[in-house]
Amino acid sequence: MLVSLIISILVGALIGWLAGMFMGSSHGFWFTALLGIVGGALGNWLAGLLGISFAGFIGQVIIGVIGTCILIAIVRAIMGKKF
C-alpha cells in the first residue's frame, strides 16, 4: 500500500510537471504532484466516458497529461489569472 502511494505521487509529479511545461505553469513538487494525480484521475474518467483506452504506462501518462492540462485550464478560467 505504501509503495503504491509513493508510486502514485511520483507518477503524479511526472504528469503534473509535463502538463505544467506544456501549459506554462510552474509550482512546487507537492502541488504539482497533486495536480498530476487529480488530473490523471480526470483524464481517465473522461477517456472512459469517451470509450478511449490506452494500454501501458506511456498511455496512462498521456491520458494523465491531457487531464491535467484540462484541469489547469479550468482553474485558470475560474481564477481569471495565470495559474
Side-chain angles (χ1 to χ4, degrees):
M1 172 126 173
L2 180 62
V3 172
S4 56
L5 177 64
I6 292 171
I7 290 172
S8 294
I9 291 171
L10 292 176
V11 172
L14 171 69
I15 290 170
W17 177 76
L18 289 171
M21 295 295 285
F22 184 73
M23 297 290 288
S25 179
S26 167
H27 302 286
F29 174 81
W30 292 109
F31 192 72
T32 299
L34 180 64
L35 275 177
I37 292 168
V38 173
L42 175 66
N44 280 311
W45 179 73
L46 288 173
L49 283 178
L50 298 173
I52 301 169
S53 66
F54 284 103
F57 177 75
I58 299 298
Q60 292 301 311
V61 169
I62 291 169
I63 292 262
V65 168
I66 292 169
T68 305
C69 288
I70 291 170
L71 181 64
I72 291 172
I74 290 169
V75 171
R76 283 182 180 171
I78 291 170
M79 294 181 71
K81 62 180 180 178
K82 185 160 176 75
F83 177 74

